[in-house]
Amino acid sequence: MRVPEKMDAVVVGAGVIGLALGCELVRRGMKVAILDKQGVGAGASPVAGGMLAPVSEASVEHPQLLDFAIHNLQLYGDWIARLQRETGRRVDFRTDGTVFVALTRDDEQELEHLHSLHEKRSLRSQFITAERLLELEPYLSPRSLCGLLVETDLHVDPRYLVQALAQQFEQSGGVLLAPYTVTRVNIQDGRACGVSGDLADGTPFTLDSPCVVLAAGAWASVDIDSPLSGAGVRAVRGQTVLLRGPVLLRHCIRHPEVYLVPRDGGEVTVGATLEEVGLDPIATAGGAYHLLRWALQLVPGLDEHQVVSLPVGLRPAVTDHMPLIGPAGAEGFWAALAHYRSGILLAPGTAHHLAEWIVSGNAPTLLSPFDPLRASRTS
């Protein structure tokens, strides 16, 4: 596709955040292009577990991020319904909930602590006996001691989600450009004026726009010269294992060492490692072994499942593990970055509120904790 002369907005990155934002901006009447150096969902998005589980994550999330996550969970049902209706695609959106499993007394104490934390924060979870646990999930290990049921957790297949968002964006009039490698956000007199980079054959290009949104994931601080080059966005590797076989699970299964997410067609996603190894997308024997060892302890029947693939994602993160959402150091330059382990969950709220901010100029209170320049403003 020929490079357009000018757009109302340019979004750099065709992951779940960039695609969702592009859809929201087009819906508000803007002429929008999304650029990606590889293509739709080529980064962390399709590898994610797709667990929409702020209650399950309550013990590790900052309170303000937890509030925003719960808000996003409340948006999800209508967001997915509209996406499926407008595209005719099914995205494997499920409302079965999550079951935490304790295999040891230490696990049991951890579940008791998590349940107590839920009660303090007025979040809903239910402590269940081993008998009840095996009624819900008969293929769990008979060694299971007890469990914690979180019925409000949802999950979605991110592989289907990003493809549906890309279709929605293009059929609404958005322009999707890939592979287009953006190397610079162009700033003139303190204002964003577009992006520059290279096509797949090395031909340089420039695309003019008064509004640029950086949603390039783990590569945002490394490969792209912008006012956020020093923001410290880094990659945290997450290895997963994709299995396929007879359907054994009804819920997402969680344990301190592993999670299991049932998918369409008898697939199960087993995840995920957390590794500070930089921009290294390689699957390792050690990572796969760790995940499979715990998966088989939880669900012994998975031992005959086929290993389909070993997907690896590079989660974008900053030091405090809070996203960067909002104006980012030059007029017309915005960030939608560093969602770490919650990009799939936070997509609808990030896209809706940031698009409203870009169009109206009114800053939403919900996004105030995620100021992209917060580190420099508190130093």
Side-chain angles (χ1 to χ4, degrees):
M1 180 182 291
R2 190 171 66 88
V3 181
E5 290 185 2
K6 187 173 183 178
M7 305 296 288
D8 296 333
V10 169
V11 179
V12 183
V16 67
I17 298 295
L19 290 167
L21 177 61
C23 291
E24 291 289 337
L25 291 172
V26 168
R27 188 169 290 128
R28 287 161 177 76
M30 297 186 77
K31 186 179 178 183
V32 183
I34 297 177
L35 286 68
D36 196 280
K37 67 178 183 177
Q38 292 177 286
V40 171
S45 294
V47 182
M51 295 175 292
L52 313 173
V55 176
S56 294
E57 299 286 336
S59 63
V60 295
E61 298 290 25
H62 188 284
Q64 292 170 307
L65 183 56
L66 178 61
D67 290 343
F68 187 50
I70 292 172
H71 170 68
N72 275 266
L73 187 70
Q74 294 166 346
L75 298 176
Y76 235 94
D78 290 341
W79 188 60
I80 291 294
R82 178 173 187 169
L83 179 63
Q84 293 185 139
R85 183 176 64 252
E86 292 184 356
T87 63
R89 287 176 175 261
R90 181 175 177 274
V91 298
D92 194 16
F93 176 61
R94 303 191 187 189
T95 59
D96 307 291
T98 293
V99 173
F100 285 82
V101 180
L103 295 176
T104 67
R105 293 300 177 190
D106 286 344
D107 294 345
E108 185 174 10
Q109 289 180 356
E110 188 161 338
L111 292 193
E112 289 172 349
H113 171 73
L114 182 58
H115 184 52
S116 174
L117 181 63
H118 289 162
E119 291 183 329
K120 288 178 182 178
R121 295 189 176 181
S122 300
L123 303 173
R124 291 172 52 197
S125 64
Q126 179 184 352
F127 215 87
I128 55 177
T129 64
E131 291 76 18
R132 176 59 178 152
L133 183 63
L134 292 172
E135 288 176 5
L136 291 173
E137 292 290 354
Y139 293 97
L140 285 173
S141 168
R143 294 177 43 236
S144 301
L145 298 179
C146 60
L148 191 67
L149 174 63
V150 182
E151 294 182 303
T152 55
D153 281 357
L154 314 173
H155 66 277
V156 66
D157 192 324
R159 298 170 299 177
Y160 300 155
L161 178 60
V162 293
Q163 294 300 324
L165 285 169
Q167 178 182 327
Q168 185 183 52
F169 176 68
E170 289 192 292
Q171 73 186 26
S172 300
V175 179
L176 186 58
L177 301 173
Y180 277 56
T181 300
V182 174
T183 57
R184 177 184 293 274
V185 175
N186 298 324
I187 307 294
Q188 186 173 7
D189 298 327
R191 295 179 58 94
C193 57
V195 297
S196 297
D198 301 295
L199 305 180
D201 62 3
T203 303
F205 75 89
T206 296
L207 177 54
D208 294 335
S209 176
C211 174
V212 177
V213 185
L214 192 57
W219 290 268
S221 289
V222 178
D223 293 344
I224 302 172
D225 183 9
S226 82
L228 280 179
S229 295
V233 179
R234 71 186 195 282
V236 180
R237 184 169 69 186
Q239 299 187 54
T240 63
V241 180
L242 183 62
L243 305 177
R244 183 184 296 127
V247 177
L248 303 182
L249 301 175
R250 304 169 184 168
H251 305 77
C252 288
I253 304 299
R254 298 189 65 152
H255 180 270
E257 298 292 338
V258 75
Y259 62 72
L260 309 173
V261 184
R263 307 287 194 202
D264 277 350
E267 290 185 344
V268 179
T269 293
V270 182
T273 63
L274 283 168
E275 302 170 85
E276 299 277 0
V277 295
L279 293 167
D280 181 357
I282 303 301
T284 66
Y289 171 75
H290 174 83
L291 296 172
L292 289 173
R293 179 167 68 94
W294 283 102
L296 294 178
Q297 287 192 46
L298 285 164
V299 186
L302 292 174
D303 64 347
E304 293 297 324
H305 276 48
Q306 173 192 359
V307 176
V308 178
S309 60
L310 302 173
V312 178
L314 298 175
R315 310 174 185 89
V318 290
T319 302
D320 63 6
H321 290 161
M322 298 264 278
L324 309 178
I325 311 171
E331 189 173 348
F333 178 54
W334 305 77
L337 278 174
H339 290 72
Y340 189 38
R341 298 167 61 241
S342 301
I344 305 298
L345 170 60
L346 301 181
T350 297
H352 172 80
H353 294 292
L354 185 55
E356 282 289 303
W357 194 352
I358 289 170
V359 171
S360 71
N362 298 320
T365 304
L366 266 173
L367 297 186
S368 60
F370 314 126
D371 178 4
L373 304 179
R374 59 183 178 268
S376 61
R377 288 173 177 163
T378 57
S379 60

